[in-house]
């Protein structure tokens, strides 16, 4: 397999990849706002009920939500791959360390490992585990000394998927029309080279069908302009699907382009691995910066600052308000007079949402109905 | 190059020699091909030491005489030496056979066994084939505990059976996300191959036919126990992936046209290879059986008395072998024994001894004439 130099904008340099740089016509992407996730697992169950109810999929979660820093699915997935990768040095915005392709052991396509079966057996291990032990009085100290947050994960439908690169049978492919990465269920022979190579561990082995399965980006929905199950069912309204352009030609009216390229508030997960993953996270603002930089790259500080100032920025607020407001893919958005409007691909208006919900204060005692009321939001 | 020219000179036929006596056309025609073939043989086939020896022999025993008579003598000598060299070659091949390049499929009567412990196998002599890690395509293998494999073969003019035996300390016959199965494969050039394919999975024009046995397929209990499930949908099964379907046999008939291209040929109704494997005290014994012929145009076809290339691959599950991570052999051969067994292998030897005698006679004759 020839090695090619490809451009990876997330690490601001060229890198090696087994195939040439080919970008799809449109790239499936999503932004997850970690600050709003409540770990209700509604997304997990929505995905499970839709796609993984069959035999051999009992412990298979294409969408999972893990508590960080001590939650993992599978066990210790990120700790292990970061450890295998060695030092990950950034110089400014340029990544100077090795990507998993560059750190590949002799005779392999990428650095990686196969988790043990038991590693997948506790999908919500480490749930709500805080970063350290809590001493007396800590809980009233601000900012809190300990922290944790919820990391919702699906397949990143990477621009340079390790799963695709590692498959000796070319049974995994990235769709030209939307960049969704799929395992050809007919070609796969169950070698699990993808399970080994995907650093996010988002290709899973089905021991009933003896082959690999993974998140399909709800492509039948995407083809209808409908956002994925995990996006539309999200209780915390933390998710937004969108078509992502490259940073050299971002569309400021495209909400995902705007959040990722213009405001740089949504960041890739472990960009140093070198896959150009396409799920972008708004980092949790209460988590120590070194941890965020390790997880989301050098733009973390900027993203946190921008998020803290979001209330002053109408356009940003507009983009964030679109989350969970429509079940359709918003190709464009516009904010005017305190209202954000989402438009579909053909310019059709999808939804109108006020940036601030109007507040009604009702009297504690309703004279007309002769009842007492509590005000709720 | 320089050396070769020296031989050219030594072999220069007297009849071509400018100083040579005129001779008839027919004489010229007669000796020319012999000289050419001798030259060819000496320059390409015979090791240089042997060539030197021959040249010296020629110089010492065949005087350069410009008479036509002697020219003939020299050519006869050359022809003899050519035949001698060819015979040496055959002998070398026989030697190679005895060293184990050819698996002799013993001809037996009655049904062929599918079990390794059947006494019929005692008739077949085993050859040991060395195996080396696959390093042609990624992912590569560099280390393996499997170093060689023993092959035995039987046929009964209708069917062909192979018994493969190799050491493997652990029986890996069930799958899990991090568990791989032991397996073995026999590879033959496909009947559809234009010429002998590369042993490493063939290529586009020269496909290979692979007989693949897998321990996890042998292990009937490998049905993964399931918990409460709400439906029967299974992607691999829906699209008819041969890996996913319920096993009807522990073997699979595969056609490959290069790395990453193996395609399952097995249709549920054409189940022409049967197989059976058993692990016993640190060793796998796997039997493959198939009719000599097959309807499928890609399948290898065997004939009594014919020789077919064969190569092997072994996967050790506990060492993470699967797909291209395996140990392989280069091409070996399987020969199907025929009735005339004794004579067919005795003839060349007889011929060799006979020729030696004649040759000795002729050389003596030439010497006598010269003397
Ligand atoms: S996250 Fe993993 S499975 Fe998904 S495209 Fe990237 S490498 Fe493949
Ligand atoms: S549904 Fe939304 S809020 Fe609930 S766990 Fe999933 S991502 Fe978080």
């Amino acid at each position: 397999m020839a090695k090619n130099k490809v451009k990876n904008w997330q690490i601001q340099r060229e890198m090696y990849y087994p195939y040439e740089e080919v970008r799809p016509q449109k790239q499936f992407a999503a932004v997850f706002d970690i600050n709003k996730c409540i770990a209700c697992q509604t997304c997990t169950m929505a995905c499970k009920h839709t796609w993984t109810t069959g035999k051999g999929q009992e412990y298979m979660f294409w969408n999972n939500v893990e508590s960080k820093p001590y939650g993992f699915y599978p066990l210790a997935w990120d700790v292990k791959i970061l450890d295998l990768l060695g030092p990950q040095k950034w110089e400014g915005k340029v990544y100077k360390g090795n990507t998993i392709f560059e750190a590949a052991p002799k005779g392999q396509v990428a650095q990686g490992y196969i988790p043990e079966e038991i590693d997948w057996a506790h999908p919500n291990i480490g749930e709500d585990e805080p970063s350290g032990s809590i001493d007396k009085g800590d809980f009233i100290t601000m900012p809190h000394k300990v922290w944790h947050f919820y990391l919702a994960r699906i397949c990143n439908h990477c621009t340079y998927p390790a799963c695709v690169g590692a498959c000796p049978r070319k049974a995994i492919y990235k769709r030209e029309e939307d960049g969704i990465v799929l395992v050809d269920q007919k070609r796969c022979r169950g070698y699990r080279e993808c399970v080994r190579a995907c650093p996010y561990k988002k290709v899973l082995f089905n021991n009933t069908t003896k082959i690999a399965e993974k998140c399909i980006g709800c492509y039948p929905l995407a083809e209808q302009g409908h956002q994925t199950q995990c996006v539309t069912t999200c209780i915390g309204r933390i998710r937004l699907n969108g078509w992502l352009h490259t940073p050299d030609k971002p569309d400021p009216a495209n909400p995902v382009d705007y959040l990722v390229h213009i405001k740089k508030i949504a960041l890739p997960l472990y960009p140093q691995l070198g896959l150009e993953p396409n799920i972008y996270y708004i980092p949790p603002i209460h988590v120590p910066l070194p941890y965020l930089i390790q997880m989301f790259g050098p733009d973390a500080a900027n993203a946190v600052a921008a998020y803290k100032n979001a209330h002053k920025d109408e356009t940003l607020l507009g983009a964030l308000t679109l989350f969970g407001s429509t079940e359709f893919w918003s190709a464009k958005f516009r904010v005017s007079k305190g209202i954000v409007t989402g438009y579909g691909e053909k310019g059709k208006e999808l939804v109108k949402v006020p940036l601030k919900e109007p507040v009604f204060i009702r009297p504690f005692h309703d004279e007309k109905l002769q009842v007492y009321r509590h005000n709720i939001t | 190059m320089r050396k070769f020219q020296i031989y050219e000179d030594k072999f220069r036929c007297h009849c071509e020699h400018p100083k040579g006596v005129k001779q008839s056309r027919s004489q010229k025609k007669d000796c020319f091909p012999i000289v050419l073939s001798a030259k060819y043989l000496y320059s390409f086939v015979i090791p240089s030491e042997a060539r030197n020896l021959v040249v010296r022999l020629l110089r010492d025993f065949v005087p350069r005489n410009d008479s036509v008579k002697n020219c003939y003598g020299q050519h006869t000598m050359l022809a003899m030496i050519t035949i001698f060299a060819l015979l040496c070659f055959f002998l070398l091949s026989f030697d190679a056979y005895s060293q184990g390049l050819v698996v002799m499929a013993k001809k037996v009567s009655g049904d062929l066994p599918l079990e390794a412990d059947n006494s019929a196998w005692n008739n077949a002599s085993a050859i040991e084939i060395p195996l080396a890690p696959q390093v042609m395509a990624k992912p590569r293998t560099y280390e393996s505990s499997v170093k060689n494999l023993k092959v035995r073969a039987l046929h009964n003019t209708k069917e062909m059976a192979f018994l493969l035996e190799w050491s493997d300390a652990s029986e890996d016959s069930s799958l899990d996300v991090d568990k791989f199965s032991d397996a073995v494969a026999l590879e033959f050039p496909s009947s559809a191959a234009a010429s002998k394919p590369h042993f490493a999975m063939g290529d586009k024009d020269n496909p290979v036919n692979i007989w693949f046995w897998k321990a996890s397929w042998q292990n009937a209990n490998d049905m993964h126990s399931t918990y409460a499930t709400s439906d029967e949908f299974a992607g691999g099964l829906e699209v008819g992936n041969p890996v996913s379907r319920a096993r009807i046999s522990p073997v699979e008939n595969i056609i490959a046209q290069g790395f990453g291209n193996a395609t399952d040929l097995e249709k549920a109704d054409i189940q022409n290879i049967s197989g059976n494997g058993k692990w016993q005290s640190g060793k796998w014994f796997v039997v493959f059986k198939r009719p000599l012929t097959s309807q499928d145009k890609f399948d290898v076809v065997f004939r009594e008395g014919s020789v077919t290339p064969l190569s092997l691959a072994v996967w050790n599950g506990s060492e993470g072998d699967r797909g291209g991570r395996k140990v392989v052999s280069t091409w070996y051969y399987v020969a199907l024994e025929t009735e005339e067994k004794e004579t067919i292998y005795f003839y060349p030897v007889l011929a060799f001894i006979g020729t030696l005698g004649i040759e000795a006679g002729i050389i003596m004759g030439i010497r006598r004439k010269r003397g």
Side-chain angles (χ1 to χ4, degrees):
Chain A
M1 212 179 278
K3 275 192 168 182
N4 296 286
K5 283 239 176 192
V6 295
K7 181 95 188 81
N8 181 332
W9 65 263
Q10 294 178 352
I11 58 172
Q12 301 263 318
R13 69 170 172 87
E14 290 197 315
M15 60 160 210
Y16 283 113
Y17 185 66
Y19 297 106
E20 276 164 40
E21 175 172 352
V22 183
R23 287 183 187 264
Q25 292 158 13
K26 288 194 293 183
Q27 175 60 57
F28 173 102
V31 174
F32 292 4
D33 181 354
I34 290 180
N35 296 286
K36 298 199 288 176
C37 177
I38 55 169
C40 62
Q41 306 283 3
T42 310
C43 49
T44 308
M45 294 325 287
C47 175
K48 185 132 200 68
H49 280 281
T50 312
W51 302 119
T52 61
T53 53
K55 289 199 168 83
Q57 298 178 316
E58 292 82 2
Y59 282 83
M60 185 184 287
F61 293 95
W62 293 352
N63 180 103
N64 79 291
V65 182
E66 55 200 49
S67 300
K68 283 293 176 203
Y70 297 126
F72 315 90
Y73 173 76
L75 192 71
W77 67 272
D78 52 350
V79 177
K80 280 191 185 168
I81 189 64
L82 295 182
D83 191 39
L84 282 170
L85 198 57
Q88 297 133 47
K89 202 171 158 239
W90 291 86
E91 262 171 33
K93 301 286 166 71
V94 184
Y95 178 55
K96 292 289 182 182
N98 280 332
T99 66
I100 60 162
F101 304 109
E102 292 156 351
K106 202 170 118 197
Q108 315 284 320
V109 170
Q111 180 61 277
Y113 73 98
I114 294 195
E116 288 174 42
E117 198 231 357
I118 195 85
D119 294 348
W120 308 86
H122 307 279
N124 207 0
I125 199 166
E127 185 184 11
D128 289 352
E129 231 15 272
S131 59
S133 57
I134 304 169
D135 292 332
K136 227 181 186 175
D138 272 359
F139 62 95
I140 46 164
T141 323
M142 287 303 269
H144 288 319
K145 284 186 184 154
V146 293
W147 52 271
H148 80 282
F149 66 93
Y150 304 118
L151 185 68
R153 304 201 302 120
I154 64 170
C155 161
N156 291 288
H157 298 280
C158 307
T159 306
Y160 302 115
C163 56
V164 170
C167 178
R169 283 188 56 82
K170 300 192 175 71
I172 311 187
Y173 60 104
K174 189 168 172 68
R175 302 215 303 182
E176 213 221 322
E177 62 267 41
D178 51 20
I180 289 177
V181 176
L182 297 175
V183 179
D184 183 334
Q185 294 291 290
K186 203 163 182 177
R187 268 195 78 73
C188 176
R189 300 265 311 168
Y191 296 153
R192 285 155 273 166
E193 294 295 347
C194 52
V195 178
R196 184 191 163 277
C198 170
Y200 303 101
K201 297 299 166 230
K202 279 298 175 191
V203 197
L204 302 95
F205 182 62
N206 180 325
N207 204 3
T208 296
T209 61
K210 315 284 179 206
I211 54 175
E213 295 178 352
K214 67 180 285 301
C215 160
I216 58 170
C218 289
Y219 72 84
L221 288 174
E223 285 167 4
Q224 307 293 320
H226 204 290
Q227 300 188 81
T228 65
Q229 292 290 75
C230 59
V231 168
T232 53
T233 57
C234 174
I235 299 292
R237 298 165 66 155
I238 81 151
R239 302 184 178 212
L240 181 75
N241 271 138
W243 305 113
L244 185 78
H245 296 102
T246 45
D248 48 325
K249 20 182 182 348
D251 173 5
N254 169 326
V256 168
D257 269 0
Y258 177 79
L259 293 169
V260 173
H261 294 316
I262 314 270
K263 291 311 280 188
K264 297 188 169 49
I265 194 173
L267 309 174
L269 179 63
Y270 294 119
Q272 65 269 42
L273 302 173
L275 285 72
E276 228 191 85
N278 286 303
I279 304 300
Y280 295 85
Y281 292 87
I282 301 179
I285 56 173
H286 63 291
V287 172
L289 206 51
Y291 191 89
L292 292 184
I293 291 173
Q294 170 174 273
M295 187 171 264
F296 303 109
D299 275 329
N302 167 58
V304 168
Y307 194 74
K308 283 184 173 166
N309 285 319
H311 61 284
K312 295 184 207 149
D313 184 335
E314 238 202 3
T315 319
L316 178 54
L317 212 52
L320 293 173
T321 305
L322 269 186
F323 285 55
S325 296
T326 166
E327 63 266 50
F328 300 104
W329 288 67
S330 300
K332 301 213 187 258
F333 78 112
R334 196 160 56 95
V335 182
S336 103
K337 297 190 189 107
I339 288 178
V340 58
T341 313
Y343 301 94
E345 266 181 277
K346 294 193 180 96
K348 188 182 157 223
E349 185 181 306
L350 296 173
V351 71
K352 260 189 157 58
V353 197
L355 300 188
K356 278 208 174 86
E357 293 279 342
V359 177
F360 301 97
I361 299 183
R362 293 177 294 189
F364 180 50
H365 183 240
D366 188 319
E367 293 291 339
K368 206 171 130 206
L369 297 173
Q370 284 299 307
V371 290
Y372 291 94
R373 270 204 197 92
H374 290 284
N375 279 303
I376 52 160
T377 55
Chain B
M1 205 57 221
R2 205 180 55 83
K3 264 192 175 173
F4 179 71
Q5 261 149 24
I6 297 173
Y7 303 132
E8 283 265 285
D9 192 46
K10 300 279 188 223
F11 286 144
R12 183 148 243 164
C13 171
H14 288 202
C15 47
E16 293 173 278
H17 203 275
K19 277 188 265 168
V21 185
K22 270 195 187 149
Q23 49 183 204
S24 77
R25 243 190 209 166
S26 67
Q27 279 171 336
K28 204 166 189 173
K29 237 196 247 159
D30 281 349
C31 65
F32 197 59
I34 302 176
V35 174
L36 265 192
S37 65
K39 272 185 188 170
Y40 180 81
L41 202 73
Y42 287 125
S43 50
F44 294 107
V45 182
I46 313 291
S48 60
E49 305 80 56
R51 270 187 264 161
N52 279 330
L53 192 81
V54 170
V55 169
R56 223 172 297 135
L57 271 172
L58 270 178
R59 203 176 42 216
D60 296 348
F61 290 105
V62 188
R64 284 192 175 229
N65 189 317
D66 288 347
S67 82
V68 174
K69 212 176 176 185
N70 266 328
C71 177
Y72 264 131
Q74 190 185 359
H75 288 166
T76 321
M77 184 70 148
L78 269 173
M80 284 302 113
I81 291 171
T82 311
I83 293 164
F84 181 76
L86 276 172
L87 282 168
C88 287
F89 225 71
F90 278 126
L91 265 197
L92 274 178
S93 317
F94 272 100
D95 196 35
Y97 160 60
S98 61
Q99 279 172 18
L101 268 180
V102 182
V103 187
M104 182 55 67
K106 178 89 185 166
K107 184 173 174 176
V108 292
S109 52
D111 289 346
L112 297 185
L114 199 55
E115 291 74 36
D117 46 16
N118 191 297
S119 60
W121 291 110
N122 299 342
N123 301 324
S125 54
I127 73 158
E128 193 165 271
I129 293 182
L131 299 166
Q134 186 284 119
V135 289
M136 305 265 306
K138 280 186 186 177
R140 302 193 174 98
T141 306
Y142 295 100
E143 280 293 322
S144 173
S145 61
V146 184
K147 309 275 186 229
N148 48 48
L149 170 145
K150 265 191 197 142
V151 191
R152 290 177 180 83
L154 296 173
H155 82 95
N156 62 3
T157 72
K158 285 187 190 69
E159 282 189 315
M160 179 84 208
F162 291 92
L163 168 60
L164 311 176
E165 174 191 335
W166 73 99
S167 299
D168 183 342
S170 59
E171 178 186 4
D172 309 307
S173 57
S174 61
L175 298 184
D176 223 324
V177 61
D178 57 333
K179 286 196 181 69
F180 301 92
S181 174
D182 292 335
V184 70
L186 279 165
E187 181 188 77
F188 311 97
S190 156
S191 292
S195 60
K196 190 167 139 189
H198 192 275
F199 70 88
M201 305 295 283
D203 57 61
K204 211 169 145 281
D205 297 326
N206 303 298
V208 288
N209 182 196
I210 295 169
W211 301 3
F212 186 44
W213 171 92
K214 217 168 141 175
S216 62
W217 293 341
Q218 184 77 51
N219 183 1
N221 303 324
D222 191 35
M223 289 317 292
H224 193 57
S225 70
T226 48
Y227 305 87
T229 50
S230 57
D231 69 31
E232 294 293 317
F233 184 87
L237 270 178
E238 285 306 305
V239 296
N241 189 322
V243 179
S244 305
R245 63 154 184 249
R247 296 308 306 181
I248 36 175
S249 151
V251 293
E252 194 179 42
N253 190 23
I254 290 173
I255 192 83
Q257 294 173 295
F259 274 99
N261 259 315
T263 320
D264 183 273
L265 276 183
E266 212 71 85
K267 293 131 212 134
D269 44 338
I270 308 176
Q271 178 62 40
N272 60 0
I273 309 178
S274 35
N276 183 32
K278 192 172 155 191
W279 186 88
Q280 212 169 25
S281 23
K283 271 188 177 177
W284 272 114
F285 300 89
V286 176
V287 177
F288 285 93
K289 204 166 103 170
R290 209 206 69 178
L292 297 190
T293 55
S294 168
Q295 291 105 315
D296 197 293
K297 72 175 165 102
F298 284 108
D299 280 351
V300 60
V301 171
F302 302 98
R303 252 174 294 109
E304 192 174 335
S306 75
V307 177
T308 308
L310 144 141
S311 80
L312 290 128
V314 173
W315 288 260
N316 185 0
S318 57
E319 289 176 352
D321 288 354
R322 75 275 194 184
R325 300 178 194 250
K326 59 185 173 186
V327 286
V328 293
S329 79
T330 55
W331 285 121
Y332 284 73
Y333 298 90
V334 54
L336 277 69
E337 196 184 65
T338 75
E339 237 84 65
E340 310 84 51
K341 188 209 95 187
E342 277 78 18
T343 40
I344 208 167
Y345 301 109
F346 194 57
Y347 273 148
V349 182
L350 256 189
F352 177 65
I353 296 168
T355 326
L356 259 189
I358 298 167
E359 191 157 338
I362 291 175
I363 291 175
M364 270 153 70
I366 293 172
R367 275 184 167 178
R368 216 176 300 138
K369 263 185 216 160
R370 247 191 273 140

